[in-house]
Amino acid sequence: MSNQAPNEARVIPLRPAARPTGAAPVADAPQRSRPALAPRQTPPAPRHREPLWRDLVGDVLRRERLAQERTLKDVADAARISMPYLSELERGRKEASSEVLAAAARALGLGLTDLLSLAQGELTRLAEVRPARRRTPSASRHDGMCLAA
């Protein structure tokens, strides 16, 4: 049987209680040494960064706005979104909903399909510039299928 009062929960602290400076360690607490931490290593940077969809869409929005010689304020007002938000979309800082993208596209005289098609074209152009990944001979011969002997 437990020696706790019936309506009291047993609390196990996640961290040891802070000791006042200069206080000696509690006698019954086990002393554990921490292992030395290895120096933090940064992961190697990928050779080619895949473009993010929000960057591609933002580039298209900005390019179309500038081609029409319109201001951020003009397009933001027409799309009924805030000017700082439109700026963040163009810079690829925000991931917009389809409703916001459609509103921004309409404000530029485009449909949502036009905007996404232009972004897809930009993605295709960037993929052609990057060198294609090489497939291993065994993978290209069997296209990933295992053949039983």
Side-chain angles (χ1 to χ4, degrees):
M1 186 149 258
S2 172
N3 59 359
Q4 290 180 312
N7 289 330
E8 289 183 23
R10 183 172 159 219
V11 178
I12 302 171
L14 296 176
R15 293 188 190 125
R19 290 181 293 179
T21 52
V26 179
D28 60 342
Q31 296 296 319
R32 291 184 223 157
S33 63
R34 290 188 174 182
L37 298 176
R40 188 175 276 180
Q41 295 177 349
T42 58
R47 281 182 264 148
H48 297 286
R49 186 179 144 259
E50 286 287 330
L52 298 176
W53 186 248
R54 66 177 185 239
D55 291 330
L56 297 170
V57 170
D59 289 344
V60 169
L61 287 172
R62 175 168 280 165
R63 189 172 57 239
E64 289 297 316
R65 179 179 61 79
L66 293 175
Q68 296 176 18
E69 298 180 354
R70 294 175 66 186
T71 64
L72 268 172
K73 180 169 178 27
D74 177 40
V75 175
D77 288 345
R80 300 181 59 96
I81 58 179
S82 74
M83 190 173 65
Y85 188 68
L86 179 58
S87 174
E88 288 184 325
L89 290 178
E90 286 186 354
R91 291 181 290 138
R93 304 290 171 118
K94 293 288 183 182
E95 195 84 46
S97 68
S98 58
E99 291 88 358
V100 171
L101 290 177
R106 274 192 309 271
L108 292 166
L110 302 170
L112 182 59
T113 55
D114 300 323
L115 175 67
L116 299 181
S117 178
L118 289 167
Q120 188 269 337
E122 183 68 13
L123 180 60
T124 302
R125 186 187 67 76
L126 290 173
E128 290 171 354
V129 171
R130 289 182 42 216
R133 287 179 52 183
R134 294 172 122 186
R135 296 179 68 180
T136 60
S138 61
S140 62
R141 240 183 308 150
H142 302 296
D143 291 328
M145 294 174 47
C146 292
L147 301 176

